[in-house]
Amino acid sequence: MYLHRLYINRTSYLSISARLLRARKPSPPFTVDKTGFAHFAGMAGSEGLPAMPRRSSRNKQKRGTKMCPVSELSDDLLVEIISRLPFKSTRCCKCVCRRWRDLVSHPDNRKKLPRSILAGFFYNNFSTELCRCYQSVAGSWGPRIDPSLPFIPTGGTGVEVLDCCNGLLLCRPSNQMWNYVVCNPAAKTWVTVHSEWTDRVRQARLGFDPAVSSHFHVFEFAHAFSRETKVWRYIESVRIYSAETGVWTRPSPWDQPGAFGTISSSTFLDGVLYVSSDDGFVIAAIDLEGNRSIIPYPTPHTSGAHVFQSRGKLHLANYGPSELSMWALDDSSSETWILKHSTSHLQMFGEKYLLFAQCFGVIVHPEQNMISIVCTKMPGSDKSVTKLLSYDMDSRELDFVCDIPYGCTTPYLPYIMV
């Protein structure tokens, strides 16, 4: 028997198969052995066509290309690498592929990854008709914020910004003292919160943490009025509004109303609102049920202090007579403070900006060991000079950012995007 040995490509193989099928033979014209060759019927012992391997749907990689080494990393290792990137780079990682997008967006990984960035801050300005102004610190990357908030319908009477928390603003229209407005200035969306406002309510704060819940809370503080001095004195009760239920809780009285006075600063972290008071040098921690606990300052020797949240922990900026110290609360239950940074005014400002140490305030970055310093110098004329500086607590380097318009005053409300 004449031995035929044939080798053909895939196209010829398919064309021969199609012609054989059209011939409608009762049995297959060839068989495939374990070696992968096809033997034609009637040619016993002959070697024939090589059988074509089946195409795998999983193997779609082109010939001549190599698999990316990053794709072989486990999810835990990849999350660990991304967690060391700044917030901007983390947001860009969501655009690489579906796997990276799912890892960055997964709720279990949110606390491991950078979740926020300091886009700017709101401040008061007494020299302009618009008392509330906004200063961006994120450059071209940050959103453009109009501090007048024109998308909120107020009838042209203006809006007072009371607090800012993780991208949301707590506002009060000038012509609607019984209502609050919670808005997102970047998305230009807003919602009204109705309140039975009385003159005893002197302060309100906002609580919002998207890593815990998509719903916000409004904390309303009522003060006691002294008939002898004719002034509003200490906080005596607090009630809380939940956006999830749409109702206010009943006023919760404070056990020791005389121990806490005017709120100097506040921050919301892990479902707890922390408010500081320079009257008693203490911090009050208020949960969503209205329960309150008191945390003393790490040191009583202070001319003022502000609370912030950074890297998932409560931080306190302590303003001393000639130095600035940064403290972190290691454990709220044990009230253990850890000194993170301490520097004198001369070391921080240097000789160039030492005169600006007379009046300054700091804003702590939520993810980095950086602080923004808003400082003012009185040159002896009618107008002051205000500058925005950036201080790196690791390298102890101070950089100039920009000049702030005349008339800048506190409070400085950081606008943090999440």
Side-chain angles (χ1 to χ4, degrees), residues 334-404:
S334 61
E335 302 176 0
T336 303
W337 291 95
I338 298 177
L339 180 62
K340 304 293 291 186
H341 187 80
S342 179
T343 180
S344 66
H345 291 172
L346 179 59
Q347 291 175 334
M348 183 170 61
F349 287 96
E351 296 182 358
K352 183 177 182 180
Y353 297 106
L354 186 57
L355 293 178
F356 287 86
Q358 305 173 17
C359 179
F360 72 95
V362 301
I363 302 172
V364 180
H365 196 282
E367 300 290 347
Q368 303 174 6
N369 288 332
M370 302 282 296
I371 58 176
S372 297
I373 305 175
V374 184
C375 49
T376 303
K377 180 184 71 172
M378 300 298 296
S381 60
D382 295 336
K383 291 188 177 182
S384 61
V385 178
T386 303
K387 296 183 180 297
L388 176 62
L389 308 176
S390 177
Y391 178 73
D392 190 330
M393 290 185 287
D394 293 332
S395 63
R396 296 180 178 266
E397 294 181 356
L398 184 71
D399 295 318
F400 169 79
V401 179
C402 65
D403 291 315
I404 303 294

Coordinates of all heavy atoms in Angstrom, one line a residue, residues 334-404:
S334 N -9.0 54.3 76.1 CA -8.0 54.5 77.1 C -7.5 56.0 77.1 O -6.7 56.3 78.0 CB -6.8 53.6 76.9 OG -6.2 53.9 75.6
E335 N -8.0 56.8 76.2 CA -7.6 58.2 76.1 C -6.1 58.4 76.1 O -5.5 59.2 76.7 CB -8.2 59.0 77.4 CG -9.7 58.9 77.5 CD -10.2 59.6 78.7 OE1 -9.4 60.1 79.5 OE2 -11.4 59.6 78.9
T336 N -5.5 57.6 75.3 CA -4.0 57.6 75.1 C -3.6 58.4 73.9 O -4.0 58.1 72.8 CB -3.5 56.2 74.9 OG1 -3.8 55.4 76.1 CG2 -2.0 56.2 74.8
W337 N -2.9 59.5 74.1 CA -2.4 60.4 73.1 C -1.0 60.1 72.8 O -0.2 59.8 73.7 CB -2.6 61.9 73.5 CG -4.0 62.4 73.6 CD1 -4.8 62.4 74.7 CD2 -4.8 62.9 72.5 NE1 -6.0 63.0 74.4 CE2 -6.0 63.3 73.1 CE3 -4.5 63.1 71.2 CZ2 -7.0 63.8 72.3 CZ3 -5.6 63.6 70.4 CH2 -6.8 64.0 70.9
I338 N -0.6 60.2 71.5 CA 0.8 60.0 71.1 C 1.2 61.2 70.4 O 0.5 61.8 69.5 CB 0.9 58.8 70.1 CG1 0.5 57.5 70.8 CG2 2.3 58.6 69.6 CD1 0.5 56.3 69.9
L339 N 2.4 61.8 70.8 CA 2.9 62.9 70.2 C 3.5 62.6 68.8 O 4.5 61.8 68.7 CB 4.0 63.6 71.0 CG 4.7 64.8 70.5 CD1 3.7 65.9 70.4 CD2 5.8 65.2 71.5
K340 N 2.9 63.1 67.7 CA 3.4 62.8 66.4 C 4.4 63.8 65.8 O 5.3 63.5 65.1 CB 2.2 62.8 65.4 CG 1.1 61.9 65.8 CD 1.5 60.4 65.7 CE 1.7 60.0 64.3 NZ 2.0 58.6 64.1
H341 N 4.3 65.1 66.3 CA 5.2 66.1 65.8 C 5.2 67.3 66.7 O 4.2 67.6 67.3 CB 4.8 66.5 64.4 CG 5.8 67.5 63.7 ND1 6.9 67.0 63.1 CD2 5.8 68.8 63.6 CE1 7.6 68.0 62.6 NE2 6.9 69.1 62.9
S342 N 6.3 67.9 66.9 CA 6.5 69.1 67.7 C 7.5 70.0 67.1 O 8.6 69.5 66.7 CB 6.8 68.8 69.1 OG 6.9 69.9 69.9
T343 N 7.2 71.3 67.0 CA 8.2 72.2 66.4 C 7.9 73.6 66.9 O 6.8 74.0 67.3 CB 8.1 72.2 64.8 OG1 9.0 73.2 64.3 CG2 6.7 72.7 64.4
S344 N 9.0 74.4 67.0 CA 8.9 75.8 67.5 C 8.5 76.7 66.3 O 8.6 76.3 65.1 CB 10.2 76.3 68.1 OG 11.2 76.3 67.1
H345 N 8.0 77.8 66.6 CA 7.6 78.8 65.5 C 8.8 79.1 64.7 O 8.7 79.3 63.5 CB 7.0 80.0 66.1 CG 5.6 79.8 66.8 ND1 4.9 80.7 67.5 CD2 4.8 78.7 66.7 CE1 3.8 80.2 67.9 NE2 3.7 79.0 67.5
L346 N 9.9 79.3 65.3 CA 11.1 79.7 64.6 C 11.6 78.5 63.6 O 11.9 78.8 62.5 CB 12.3 80.0 65.5 CG 13.6 80.4 64.9 CD1 13.5 81.6 64.0 CD2 14.7 80.6 66.0
Q347 N 11.5 77.3 64.1 CA 11.8 76.2 63.2 C 10.9 76.0 62.1 O 11.3 75.6 61.0 CB 11.9 74.9 64.1 CG 13.0 74.8 65.0 CD 13.0 73.6 65.9 OE1 11.9 73.0 66.1 NE2 14.1 73.2 66.4
M348 N 9.6 76.2 62.3 CA 8.6 76.0 61.3 C 8.5 77.1 60.3 O 8.5 76.8 59.1 CB 7.2 75.8 62.0 CG 6.1 75.4 61.0 SD 4.6 74.9 61.8 CE 4.2 76.4 62.7
F349 N 8.5 78.3 60.8 CA 8.3 79.5 59.8 C 9.7 80.0 59.3 O 9.7 80.6 58.2 CB 7.6 80.6 60.5 CG 6.2 80.4 60.8 CD1 5.7 79.9 62.0 CD2 5.2 80.6 59.8 CE1 4.4 79.6 62.2 CE2 3.9 80.4 60.0 CZ 3.4 79.9 61.2
G350 N 10.8 79.8 60.1 CA 12.0 80.3 59.6 C 12.0 81.8 59.8 O 11.0 82.5 60.2
E351 N 13.2 82.4 59.5 CA 13.3 83.9 59.7 C 12.4 84.6 58.6 O 12.0 85.7 58.8 CB 14.7 84.3 59.5 CG 15.6 83.8 60.7 CD 17.0 84.2 60.5 OE1 17.3 85.0 59.5 OE2 17.9 83.9 61.4
K352 N 12.2 84.0 57.5 CA 11.5 84.6 56.4 C 10.0 84.9 56.7 O 9.5 85.9 56.4 CB 11.6 83.8 55.1 CG 10.9 84.4 53.9 CD 11.1 83.5 52.7 CE 10.5 84.2 51.4 NZ 10.7 83.3 50.2
Y353 N 9.4 83.9 57.4 CA 7.9 84.0 57.7 C 7.7 84.1 59.2 O 6.6 83.8 59.6 CB 7.2 82.8 57.1 CG 7.2 82.8 55.6 CD1 8.0 81.8 54.9 CD2 6.5 83.6 54.8 CE1 8.1 81.7 53.6 CE2 6.6 83.5 53.4 CZ 7.3 82.6 52.8 OH 7.4 82.5 51.4
L354 N 8.7 84.4 60.0 CA 8.5 84.4 61.4 C 7.5 85.4 61.9 O 6.7 85.1 62.9 CB 9.8 84.6 62.1 CG 9.8 84.5 63.7 CD1 9.4 83.1 64.0 CD2 11.2 84.8 64.2
L355 N 7.3 86.5 61.3 CA 6.3 87.5 61.7 C 4.9 87.0 61.4 O 4.0 87.5 62.0 CB 6.6 88.8 60.9 CG 7.9 89.6 61.3 CD1 8.0 90.8 60.4 CD2 7.9 89.9 62.7
F356 N 4.8 86.0 60.6 CA 3.4 85.5 60.3 C 3.0 84.5 61.4 O 1.8 84.0 61.4 CB 3.4 84.7 59.0 CG 3.4 85.6 57.8 CD1 4.7 86.1 57.3 CD2 2.3 86.0 57.2 CE1 4.7 86.9 56.2 CE2 2.3 86.9 56.1 CZ 3.5 87.3 55.6
A357 N 3.9 84.2 62.3 CA 3.5 83.3 63.5 C 2.7 84.0 64.5 O 2.2 83.3 65.4 CB 4.8 82.8 64.1
Q358 N 2.4 85.3 64.3 CA 1.6 86.0 65.3 C 0.1 85.5 65.2 O -0.5 85.4 66.3 CB 1.6 87.5 65.0 CG 3.0 88.1 64.9 CD 3.0 89.5 64.5 OE1 1.9 90.2 64.5 NE2 4.1 90.0 64.1
C359 N -0.3 85.1 64.1 CA -1.7 84.7 63.9 C -1.8 83.7 62.8 O -1.6 84.0 61.6 CB -2.6 85.9 63.6 SG -4.4 85.5 63.3
F360 N -2.0 82.4 63.1 CA -2.0 81.4 62.1 C -3.0 80.2 62.5 O -3.2 80.1 63.7 CB -0.6 80.8 61.8 CG -0.1 80.0 62.8 CD1 -0.2 78.6 62.8 CD2 0.6 80.5 63.9 CE1 0.3 77.8 63.8 CE2 1.1 79.7 64.9 CZ 1.0 78.3 64.8
G361 N -3.4 79.5 61.5 CA -4.2 78.3 61.8 C -3.8 77.2 60.8 O -3.2 77.5 59.7
V362 N -4.0 76.0 61.2 CA -3.5 74.8 60.4 C -4.6 73.9 60.0 O -5.7 73.9 60.7 CB -2.4 74.0 61.2 CG1 -1.2 74.9 61.6 CG2 -3.0 73.3 62.4
I363 N -4.4 73.3 58.8 CA -5.4 72.3 58.3 C -4.5 71.0 58.0 O -3.6 71.1 57.3 CB -6.1 72.8 57.0 CG1 -6.8 74.1 57.3 CG2 -7.0 71.7 56.5 CD1 -7.4 74.7 56.1
V364 N -4.9 69.9 58.7 CA -4.2 68.7 58.6 C -4.6 67.9 57.3 O -5.8 67.8 57.1 CB -4.3 67.8 59.8 CG1 -3.5 66.5 59.7 CG2 -3.8 68.6 61.0
H365 N -3.7 67.4 56.6 CA -4.0 66.6 55.4 C -4.6 65.3 55.8 O -4.0 64.6 56.8 CB -2.8 66.4 54.5 CG -3.1 65.9 53.1 ND1 -3.4 64.6 52.9 CD2 -3.2 66.6 51.9 CE1 -3.7 64.4 51.6 NE2 -3.5 65.6 51.0
P366 N -5.6 64.7 55.2 CA -6.3 63.5 55.7 C -5.4 62.2 55.4 O -5.7 61.2 56.0 CB -7.6 63.5 54.9 CG -7.3 64.3 53.7 CD -6.4 65.3 54.1
E367 N -4.5 62.3 54.5 CA -3.7 61.1 54.1 C -2.2 61.2 54.3 O -1.5 60.2 54.3 CB -4.1 60.6 52.7 CG -5.5 60.3 52.5 CD -6.0 59.1 53.2 OE1 -5.2 58.3 53.6 OE2 -7.2 58.9 53.3
Q368 N -1.7 62.4 54.4 CA -0.2 62.6 54.4 C 0.2 63.4 55.6 O -0.6 64.0 56.3 CB 0.2 63.3 53.1 CG -0.2 62.6 51.8 CD 0.1 63.5 50.6 OE1 0.8 64.5 50.7 NE2 -0.3 63.0 49.4
N369 N 1.5 63.3 55.9 CA 2.0 64.1 57.0 C 2.3 65.5 56.6 O 3.4 66.0 56.7 CB 3.3 63.4 57.6 CG 3.0 62.1 58.3 OD1 1.9 62.0 58.9 ND2 4.0 61.2 58.3
M370 N 1.3 66.2 56.1 CA 1.4 67.5 55.6 C 0.3 68.4 56.3 O -0.8 67.9 56.6 CB 1.1 67.6 54.1 CG 2.1 66.7 53.3 SD 3.7 67.5 53.1 CE 3.3 69.0 52.1
I371 N 0.6 69.6 56.5 CA -0.3 70.6 57.0 C -0.3 71.9 56.2 O 0.8 72.3 55.7 CB -0.1 70.9 58.5 CG1 1.3 71.5 58.7 CG2 -0.3 69.7 59.4 CD1 1.6 72.0 60.1
S372 N -1.5 72.4 56.0 CA -1.6 73.7 55.3 C -1.7 74.8 56.4 O -2.5 74.7 57.4 CB -2.8 73.8 54.4 OG -2.7 72.8 53.4
I373 N -0.9 75.9 56.3 CA -0.9 76.9 57.3 C -1.4 78.2 56.6 O -0.9 78.7 55.6 CB 0.6 77.2 57.8 CG1 1.2 75.9 58.3 CG2 0.6 78.2 58.8 CD1 2.6 76.0 58.7
V374 N -2.5 78.8 57.2 CA -3.0 80.1 56.9 C -2.5 81.1 57.9 O -2.9 81.0 59.1 CB -4.5 80.1 56.8 CG1 -5.0 81.4 56.3 CG2 -5.0 78.9 55.9
C375 N -1.6 82.0 57.5 CA -1.0 82.9 58.5 C -1.1 84.3 58.0 O -1.2 84.6 56.9 CB 0.5 82.5 58.7 SG 1.4 82.3 57.2
T376 N -1.2 85.2 59.0 CA -1.4 86.6 58.8 C -0.4 87.5 59.5 O 0.0 87.2 60.6 CB -2.9 87.0 59.2 OG1 -3.8 86.2 58.6 CG2 -3.1 88.5 58.9
K377 N 0.1 88.5 58.8 CA 1.0 89.5 59.4 C 0.4 90.9 59.3 O -0.1 91.2 58.2 CB 2.3 89.4 58.7 CG 3.4 90.4 59.2 CD 4.6 90.4 58.4 CE 4.5 91.0 57.0 NZ 5.7 91.1 56.3
M378 N 0.5 91.6 60.3 CA 0.0 93.0 60.3 C 1.2 93.9 60.1 O 2.1 94.1 61.0 CB -0.6 93.4 61.7 CG -1.8 92.5 62.0 SD -3.2 92.7 60.8 CE -3.6 94.4 61.0
P379 N 1.4 94.5 58.9 CA 2.6 95.3 58.5 C 2.6 96.7 59.1 O 3.5 97.5 58.8 CB 2.5 95.3 57.0 CG 1.1 95.2 56.7 CD 0.4 94.4 57.8
G380 N 1.6 97.0 59.9 CA 1.5 98.4 60.4 C 0.6 99.3 59.7 O 0.4 100.4 60.1
S381 N 0.0 98.8 58.6 CA -0.9 99.6 57.8 C -2.3 99.1 58.1 O -2.6 98.3 59.0 CB -0.6 99.5 56.3 OG -0.7 98.1 55.9
D382 N -3.3 99.6 57.3 CA -4.7 99.2 57.5 C -5.0 97.8 57.0 O -5.9 97.2 57.5 CB -5.6 100.2 56.8 CG -5.5 101.6 57.5 OD1 -5.1 101.7 58.6 OD2 -5.8 102.6 56.8
K383 N -4.2 97.3 56.1 CA -4.5 96.0 55.5 C -3.5 95.0 56.0 O -2.3 95.3 56.0 CB -4.5 96.1 54.0 CG -5.7 96.9 53.5 CD -5.8 96.8 51.9 CE -7.0 97.6 51.4 NZ -7.1 97.4 49.9
S384 N -3.9 93.8 56.2 CA -3.1 92.7 56.7 C -2.6 92.0 55.4 O -3.1 92.1 54.3 CB -3.8 91.8 57.6 OG -4.9 91.2 57.0
V385 N -1.6 91.1 55.6 CA -1.0 90.3 54.6 C -1.2 88.8 55.0 O -0.7 88.4 56.1 CB 0.4 90.6 54.3 CG1 1.0 89.6 53.3 CG2 0.6 92.0 53.9
T386 N -1.9 88.0 54.2 CA -2.2 86.6 54.6 C -1.6 85.7 53.5 O -1.8 86.0 52.3 CB -3.7 86.4 54.7 OG1 -4.3 87.3 55.7 CG2 -4.0 85.0 55.1
K387 N -1.0 84.7 53.9 CA -0.4 83.7 53.0 C -0.8 82.3 53.4 O -1.1 82.0 54.5 CB 1.2 83.9 53.0 CG 1.7 85.2 52.6 CD 3.2 85.2 52.6 CE 3.7 86.6 52.1 NZ 3.3 86.9 50.7
L388 N -0.7 81.5 52.3 CA -1.0 80.0 52.5 C 0.3 79.3 52.3 O 1.0 79.4 51.2 CB -2.0 79.5 51.5 CG -2.3 78.0 51.5 CD1 -2.9 77.6 52.8 CD2 -3.3 77.7 50.4
L389 N 0.8 78.6 53.3 CA 2.0 77.8 53.3 C 1.7 76.3 53.5 O 0.7 76.0 54.0 CB 3.0 78.3 54.4 CG 3.2 79.8 54.5 CD1 4.1 80.1 55.7 CD2 3.9 80.3 53.2
S390 N 2.7 75.5 53.0 CA 2.6 74.1 53.1 C 3.8 73.6 53.9 O 4.9 73.9 53.6 CB 2.5 73.4 51.8 OG 2.5 72.0 51.9
Y391 N 3.5 72.8 55.0 CA 4.6 72.3 55.8 C 4.6 70.8 55.8 O 3.6 70.2 56.1 CB 4.4 72.9 57.3 CG 5.4 72.4 58.2 CD1 6.7 72.9 58.2 CD2 5.1 71.5 59.2 CE1 7.7 72.5 59.1 CE2 6.1 71.0 60.1 CZ 7.4 71.5 60.1 OH 8.3 71.1 61.0
D392 N 5.8 70.2 55.5 CA 6.0 68.8 55.5 C 6.5 68.4 56.9 O 7.7 68.7 57.3 CB 6.9 68.3 54.4 CG 7.0 66.8 54.2 OD1 6.8 66.1 55.2 OD2 7.3 66.4 53.1
M393 N 5.8 67.6 57.7 CA 6.2 67.2 59.0 C 7.3 66.2 59.0 O 8.0 66.0 60.0 CB 5.0 66.7 59.8 CG 4.0 67.7 60.2 SD 2.6 67.1 61.2 CE 1.7 66.1 60.0
D394 N 7.5 65.5 57.9 CA 8.6 64.5 57.8 C 9.9 65.2 57.5 O 10.9 64.9 58.2 CB 8.3 63.4 56.8 CG 7.1 62.6 57.1 OD1 6.9 62.4 58.3 OD2 6.4 62.1 56.2
S395 N 10.0 66.0 56.5 CA 11.2 66.7 56.1 C 11.4 68.0 56.8 O 12.4 68.6 56.7 CB 11.2 66.9 54.6 OG 10.2 67.7 54.2
R396 N 10.3 68.5 57.5 CA 10.3 69.8 58.2 C 10.6 71.0 57.2 O 11.3 72.0 57.5 CB 11.3 69.9 59.3 CG 10.9 68.9 60.5 CD 12.0 68.9 61.6 NE 11.6 68.0 62.7 CZ 10.9 68.4 63.7 NH1 10.5 69.7 63.8 NH2 10.6 67.5 64.7
E397 N 10.1 70.8 56.0 CA 10.3 71.9 55.0 C 9.0 72.7 54.8 O 7.9 72.1 54.8 CB 10.7 71.2 53.6 CG 12.0 70.6 53.6 CD 12.4 70.0 52.3 OE1 11.5 70.1 51.4 OE2 13.5 69.5 52.1
L398 N 9.2 74.0 54.6 CA 8.1 74.9 54.5 C 8.1 75.5 53.1 O 9.1 76.0 52.6 CB 8.2 76.0 55.5 CG 7.0 77.0 55.5 CD1 5.8 76.4 56.1 CD2 7.4 78.3 56.4
D399 N 7.0 75.5 52.4 CA 6.9 76.0 51.0 C 5.7 77.0 50.9 O 4.7 76.8 51.6 CB 6.6 74.8 50.0 CG 7.8 73.9 49.9 OD1 8.9 74.3 49.9 OD2 7.5 72.6 49.9
F400 N 6.0 78.0 50.1 CA 4.9 79.0 49.9 C 4.0 78.5 48.8 O 4.4 77.9 47.8 CB 5.6 80.3 49.4 CG 4.6 81.3 48.8 CD1 3.8 82.1 49.7 CD2 4.4 81.5 47.5 CE1 2.9 83.0 49.2 CE2 3.5 82.4 47.0 CZ 2.8 83.2 47.8
V401 N 2.7 78.6 49.0 CA 1.6 78.2 48.1 C 1.0 79.4 47.3 O 1.1 79.4 46.1 CB 0.5 77.4 48.8 CG1 -0.5 76.9 47.8 CG2 1.1 76.2 49.5
C402 N 0.4 80.3 48.0 CA -0.2 81.4 47.4 C -0.5 82.5 48.4 O -0.4 82.3 49.6 CB -1.5 81.0 46.6 SG -2.8 80.4 47.7
D403 N -0.9 83.7 47.9 CA -1.4 84.7 48.8 C -2.9 84.6 48.9 O -3.6 84.2 48.0 CB -1.1 86.1 48.2 CG 0.5 86.4 48.3 OD1 1.1 86.1 49.4 OD2 1.0 86.8 47.3
I404 N -3.4 84.9 50.1 CA -4.9 84.9 50.4 C -5.4 86.4 50.4 O -4.7 87.3 50.9 CB -5.1 84.3 51.7 CG1 -4.6 82.9 51.8 CG2 -6.6 84.2 52.0 CD1 -5.3 81.9 50.8

